[in-house]
Amino acid sequence: MLKSLMFAAALAVAASPVAAAPAAHTVNVDIKNFMFMPMTVTIAEGDTVTWTNRDQIPHTVAEKNKLFRSAALDTGDTYSHVFDKAGTYDYFCTLHPQMFAHVVVTPAKKK
């Protein structure tokens, strides 16, 4: 009887819902007309930003403190980065330094 009760308790604990981490999201940024659009995106920790080059010439995506950097992106190419720490990330195109933008990462919401 005791073994049955212990087994039933173990099953109940195993079946109890566990708070899942919030689902990560992907935000898209277009590189078009020598601009990053939108110029500022706000995301949560764990989210991904994907940049797509829509111009007819190559561009790059490089964080000013060298935390991430893409290779040259030809037309239609993409580059993605997962942001796992809250903060503001300023980035630019190394081929066209007048192109710059920002990613603002907010702390993940706790459940």
Side-chain angles (χ1 to χ4, degrees), residues 68-85:
F68 57 85
R69 180 179 175 168
S70 73
L73 303 174
D74 288 325
T75 305
D77 286 351
T78 63
Y79 171 74
S80 295
H81 182 77
V82 176
F83 291 84
D84 56 6
K85 185 176 177 187

Side-chain angles (χ1 to χ4, degrees), residues 5 12 23 25 36 43 46 54 59 65 79-82 94 99 108:
L5 289 174
H25 296 95
F36 295 103
I43 60 173
R54 308 264 184 224
H59 292 291
N65 295 313
Y79 171 74
S80 295
H81 182 77
V82 176
T94 58
M99 294 173 56

Side-chain angles (χ1 to χ4, degrees), residues 37 90 100 108:
M37 300 189 307
D90 300 319
F100 61 90

Side-chain angles (χ1 to χ4, degrees), residues 4-109:
S4 295
L5 289 174
M6 290 174 58
F7 181 72
L11 282 178
V13 169
S16 65
V18 177
H25 296 95
T26 299
V27 173
N28 296 304
V29 174
D30 283 339
I31 304 169
K32 188 174 179 182
N33 299 324
F34 287 84
M35 294 179 65
F36 295 103
M37 300 189 307
M39 287 186 64
T40 301
V41 294
T42 301
I43 60 173
E45 287 176 324
D47 287 352
T48 300
V49 175
T50 297
W51 291 267
T52 303
N53 184 6
R54 308 264 184 224
D55 270 342
Q56 297 301 311
I57 62 166
H59 292 291
T60 66
V61 178
E63 199 274 337
K64 74 173 188 175
N65 295 313
K66 302 179 182 177
L67 295 174
F68 57 85
R69 180 179 175 168
S70 73
L73 303 174
D74 288 325
T75 305
D77 286 351
T78 63
Y79 171 74
S80 295
H81 182 77
V82 176
F83 291 84
D84 56 6
K85 185 176 177 187
T88 299
Y89 299 84
D90 300 319
Y91 65 92
F92 64 102
C93 173
T94 58
L95 303 172
H96 311 99
Q98 75 277 13
M99 294 173 56
F100 61 90
H102 320 279
V103 176
V104 178
V105 183
T106 60
K109 294 179 182 174

